[in-house]
Amino acid sequence: MVVGEEELLRARAVAGVRTAVLERHPDAEVHELPAQGLPVGQLGDALAPSLFGGHRLVLVDGVQDAATALADALTGYAKDPDPDLTLVIVHSGGKRNEALLKAFRAAGAAVDDCPKITSPGDRAAFVRNEVRSSGGRITPDALTALVDAVGNDLRQLSSAASQLVSDFGGTIDADAVARFHRGQAEVTGFTVAEKVLVGDRQGAVESLRWALDRGVAHVLIADAIADGVRTAARVATVRSSNPGDLARALKMPPWKVKKAQAQARGWSIDGLQRAIGVAAELNADVKGAAASADYALERAVRRIVQIRAETGRERAVRGR
């Protein structure tokens, strides 16, 4: 059983069981089932012995939302479990279907408790362990600064801890936290666009995720990418390389022309036209055409960076 309100800890507990089972049984069948709305018959099929033998791993998530018949079926299984099957039930806490948890405990099920981390001391201990597991250590003042800057979300704290160790290594002090947080807090849609245009895939994706974490609107990021691509295309299609002449011809400020010139290097006109098409699709996606605006943004970022890389290879082949 994996039980508790802390989503990150639940996910890690489930991943740990999955890893352990697949290490012992590499060919195990894996069934992942959401409890809400799950027909009893479908659960029965997953729990039934396989025609081909071998071990099975069945994960039933959200059993707090299981219907009475499904909870009864799980309780019945717990009384006579199959030795060739590992069953994991995941409960997000609370009183709903508490009898199911009691039945599994009575049957001797292993329990991973994942309680909500609410106290400052427990949160600090979590961050300290995250830094240690990434190969670093963090000073007390840096620990306080990091929690104050990032907040209470464990996923964000975990991500920040691992990134700090990656960026600064060894010992993380308060100055490292201040520099890291200042840099991340300043991420905007234009930061993402700049990294996309120069072909920095890792930097672009990282900046995108930080911008989304900090609440930058999807539409603003998409607009910044579209503006950057269109501006680079406008600069690239004008023959003059003089920033002053370009500024007058394109009715743009000289600083923007210079930036666009730098970003247009490594691009072909055809490549920029293809990137404009991706940006146009993205505009529709973030305004409701896509099921997930987050996914649409990251997909567009990766596609535009890929187009730039293909442009570079094509130019290199022609130059031989």
Side-chain angles (χ1 to χ4, degrees):
M1 296 189 305
V2 176
V3 185
E5 298 177 16
E6 199 61 72
E7 189 273 336
L8 175 62
L9 301 185
R10 293 200 310 269
R12 288 183 174 180
V14 170
V17 174
R18 181 199 297 271
T19 298
V21 168
L22 293 179
E23 282 180 352
R24 294 187 63 184
H25 308 283
D27 298 324
E29 292 181 19
V30 179
H31 301 270
E32 298 184 41
L33 307 172
Q36 188 170 30
L38 179 66
V40 173
Q42 187 176 346
L43 173 68
D45 290 343
L47 297 178
S50 170
L51 294 174
F52 304 102
H55 201 83
R56 285 153 293 140
L57 170 61
V58 179
L59 307 167
V60 185
D61 190 22
V63 296
Q64 72 281 351
D65 297 321
T68 301
L70 184 71
D72 289 345
L74 287 167
T75 300
Y77 174 83
K79 295 175 182 177
D80 185 23
D82 183 342
D84 290 323
L85 184 145
T86 299
L87 172 62
V88 181
I89 61 170
V90 185
H91 190 291
S92 65
K95 299 294 185 181
R96 297 182 64 184
N97 278 332
E98 196 173 30
L100 174 60
L101 302 183
K102 290 179 179 178
F104 268 69
R105 284 193 174 94
V111 182
D112 268 308
D113 285 314
C114 307
K116 191 74 174 175
I117 294 180
T118 56
S119 75
D122 288 345
R123 201 172 296 116
F126 171 81
V127 174
R128 193 180 294 111
N129 288 334
E130 292 296 294
V131 172
R132 186 182 298 119
S133 67
S134 295
R137 59 180 298 273
I138 187 167
T139 62
D141 56 342
L143 180 58
T144 300
L146 181 59
V147 174
D148 288 345
V150 175
N152 299 336
D153 185 89
L154 291 197
R155 283 194 182 277
Q156 292 189 23
L157 285 169
S158 174
S159 176
S162 61
Q163 191 64 49
L164 275 163
V165 175
S166 175
D167 289 350
F168 298 99
T171 300
I172 307 303
D173 57 20
D175 180 61
V177 173
R179 283 185 287 154
F180 171 78
H181 183 64
R182 184 168 57 248
Q184 302 307 330
E186 292 169 355
V187 170
T188 66
F190 293 104
T191 308
V192 178
E194 288 172 7
K195 293 183 180 297
V196 169
L197 282 162
V198 299
D200 181 0
R201 184 196 308 272
Q202 181 175 345
V205 171
E206 181 179 310
S207 295
L208 171 63
R209 291 173 180 173
W210 276 104
L212 292 173
D213 281 344
R214 273 151 182 74
V216 180
H218 299 95
V219 172
L220 294 181
I221 300 172
D223 286 349
I225 293 172
D227 179 71
V229 173
R230 286 195 301 266
T231 302
R234 290 177 67 194
V235 168
T237 53
V238 178
R239 293 186 179 277
S240 174
S241 60
N242 183 288
D245 293 341
L246 282 170
R248 285 188 291 273
L250 299 174
K251 297 180 180 179
M252 292 167 50
W255 66 265
K256 190 170 185 178
V257 169
K258 289 181 181 179
K259 178 179 285 189
Q261 283 180 310
Q263 293 172 346
R265 294 191 188 103
W267 283 93
S268 67
I269 299 300
D270 176 66
L272 286 167
Q273 289 174 340
R274 290 163 59 196
I276 288 173
V278 174
E281 291 178 19
L282 176 60
N283 180 64
D285 285 341
V286 298
K287 292 179 179 177
S292 168
D294 285 12
Y295 174 76
L297 277 164
E298 183 161 334
R299 181 181 61 182
V301 163
R302 293 180 181 276
R303 287 175 65 190
I304 294 173
V305 171
Q306 181 62 31
I307 290 169
R308 187 184 187 278
E310 292 169 357
T311 294
R313 287 195 293 269
E314 290 166 1
R315 294 175 71 173
V317 169
R318 287 197 299 270
R320 288 176 182 171

